[in-house]
Amino acid sequence: MSTYSMDRIKIPQGFWEGLHQLGLAPHDIARKAGLPLTVISEPTVNTAQYYAIWQAYSELSGDVARGMIRLATTYEATQYPPTVLATYHARDYRDALHRMARYKQLCPPENMTINEDGGACMIELKWLAADQACPPLLVGITLAFLLELGRRGTGRHLKASLVEFAQPMGDVQALEAYFGCRVRTDSGRNCLTLDRKDLDLPFLTYNEELLEILSPALERTLNHHQGNRSVSGMVKWIMKCSFSAGRPDVQSVAKELGMSDRTLQRRLSEENTSFIHLLTQARHEQARMYLADLSLDIKDVAFLIGYEDQNSFYRAFRAWEGDTPANWRSAHAEGYAGLEDTDQDRLNIH
């Protein structure tokens, strides 16, 4: 079974045209991002290139918040790829959001979870590339598009209940005016909270015939991608996304994959590996990646890969590399940080 690479992101055909409609020339964005102009015609890019494109748009737009709002409110739905277009023709807001969460699996680099609790619906974003910082504007535009989806679909000016960002987002007052609620920054997560009753609102754009055409094709594509992923590869990806919250366990990872603990362990056994072995691999790979970032203290690296005790990290790293983290960093960090994208793929995904 081949491993599905999560470091290839498809650029929709309408992406560059949408930015052009905002008065931003694609070649200016490519140059600002430090990328060759050929990136404009490439169907896919890697995560680093994708982030660079969004960072360039952010810098050319000025304030992060205002650039985010401008794109969210101006971008035409006709420019969206089928994975997003299908959500605009869903039966109601809830159906649209769940379709978005499902089809996000075809559109790295973010993962979207929906939790309805009491009178609230919380939609949280997690970024798959734990070793690369996501541009704030990309985080903001992703949450803004989710609210914009409800507004355009229902024909109502819906408001969020709370918006949380893990990092500064520019003009907070502008964001609060757009979302219609309090906006918190540096909250530790990226989350859009909606009034749960709004999810029952029907979509004026509901198109059953179009969904009958789009949905089967999207499901076949999704099943193909999921079928091509090794379970061990998906387990390691989930682990790497979860380390900052502590050491992931079998139960939590199995739940993320929608299977029982026993099924997960059996599937890993079929791939000649185990949960503990993958946990060790994931920690080792992330430790090397974080140690290459000289701005991180070693105690921060220990925390980022799920060690509460710095001494436990030191002992584990000695077992992996035969040296201390500090010595390894001195000898390898510069060269390791300069690895080509293909080498990064090999280290992160097996």
Side-chain angles (χ1 to χ4, degrees):
M1 183 179 291
S2 61
T3 302
Y4 173 65
S5 173
M6 296 178 193
D7 200 35
R8 302 305 298 172
I9 300 169
K10 187 172 183 179
I11 298 289
Q13 291 182 352
F15 176 80
W16 296 106
E17 178 59 31
L19 296 183
H20 182 71
Q21 290 174 0
L22 296 176
L24 296 172
H27 61 268
D28 287 339
I29 295 175
R31 289 196 182 100
K32 186 71 174 178
L35 300 174
L37 295 181
T38 52
V39 74
I40 298 171
S41 59
E42 287 292 327
T44 61
V45 295
N46 63 35
T47 302
Q49 292 170 328
Y50 187 68
Y51 283 177
I53 290 169
W54 279 102
Q55 184 60 38
Y57 166 70
S58 177
E59 294 174 7
L60 291 172
S61 298
D63 181 76
V64 171
R66 297 187 184 280
M68 179 202 84
I69 295 167
R70 185 176 175 220
L71 182 58
T73 55
T74 306
Y75 204 93
E76 296 181 5
T78 55
Q79 301 290 350
Y80 291 137
T83 50
V84 179
L85 191 61
T87 66
Y88 275 84
H89 299 289
R91 184 177 299 276
D92 53 35
Y93 197 10
R94 178 179 286 102
D95 181 26
L97 289 172
H98 281 279
R99 286 176 184 271
M100 183 72 81
R102 181 163 178 76
Y103 299 143
K104 274 287 183 187
Q105 298 176 68
L106 292 171
C107 309
E110 71 269 14
N111 182 50
M112 172 179 155
T113 59
I114 301 173
N115 180 33
E116 295 186 42
D117 184 19
C121 172
M122 290 158 287
I123 307 169
E124 186 172 358
L125 297 179
K126 292 184 179 180
W127 302 90
L128 311 189
D131 57 296
Q132 301 180 55
C134 177
L137 189 141
L138 178 54
V139 179
I141 195 63
T142 304
L143 291 185
F145 270 137
L146 295 177
L147 180 60
E148 200 66 28
L149 169 64
R151 288 175 173 175
R152 296 188 187 189
T154 64
R156 301 188 186 188
H157 189 73
L158 302 179
K159 297 180 180 181
S161 300
L162 175 66
V163 179
E164 300 167 84
F165 292 111
Q167 53 194 315
M169 293 296 295
D171 189 343
V172 174
Q173 288 186 334
L175 290 176
E176 290 182 338
Y178 172 75
F179 284 105
C181 68
R182 184 164 63 96
V183 172
R184 293 175 51 195
T185 57
D186 298 317
S187 72
R189 66 174 184 170
N190 300 299
C191 184
L192 173 71
T193 301
L194 302 170
D195 189 328
R196 191 175 183 181
K197 68 176 185 297
D198 287 343
L199 272 59
D200 295 319
L201 294 173
F203 266 25
L204 304 178
T205 51
Y206 174 52
N207 188 325
E208 185 177 7
E209 292 182 357
L210 183 60
L211 287 178
E212 288 178 353
I213 296 172
L214 290 175
S215 296
L218 290 171
E219 289 297 325
R220 284 195 299 271
T221 303
L222 182 60
N223 290 335
H224 172 72
H225 279 291
Q226 291 177 331
N228 283 340
R229 295 187 196 182
S230 67
V231 174
S232 56
M234 289 189 287
V235 167
K236 283 175 67 175
W237 162 65
I238 292 171
M239 288 174 173
K240 291 177 180 181
C241 290
S242 307
F243 278 146
S244 61
R247 172 177 168 166
D249 54 30
V250 175
Q251 291 77 18
S252 62
V253 174
K255 184 177 180 181
E256 288 279 351
L257 291 171
M259 61 179 70
S260 68
D261 308 355
R262 181 173 297 180
T263 298
L264 173 58
Q265 292 170 332
R266 176 177 57 78
R267 294 287 297 276
L268 292 177
S269 178
E270 291 171 355
E271 294 181 12
N272 298 315
T273 189
S274 68
F275 187 87
I276 294 299
H277 179 68
L278 293 175
L279 179 62
T280 300
Q281 278 191 337
R283 278 177 155 173
H284 186 186
E285 291 166 11
Q286 291 299 91
R288 290 166 61 99
M289 188 69 66
Y290 287 132
L291 286 171
D293 184 350
L294 300 181
S295 68
L296 291 174
D297 291 334
I298 292 179
K299 65 176 182 295
D300 294 328
V301 175
F303 169 77
L304 288 170
I305 61 172
Y307 283 99
E308 296 181 1
D309 177 9
Q310 188 174 338
N311 290 330
S312 296
F313 169 59
Y314 270 78
R315 287 193 295 271
F317 196 84
R318 273 188 174 278
W320 299 331
E321 297 288 343
D323 206 347
T324 67
N327 287 343
W328 186 93
R329 168 177 272 178
S330 298
H332 301 284
E334 183 177 351
Y336 188 80
L339 286 173
E340 296 295 330
D341 288 335
T342 52
D343 294 323
Q344 296 282 11
D345 290 344
R346 187 173 64 250
L347 288 166
N348 287 326
I349 301 172
H350 296 268

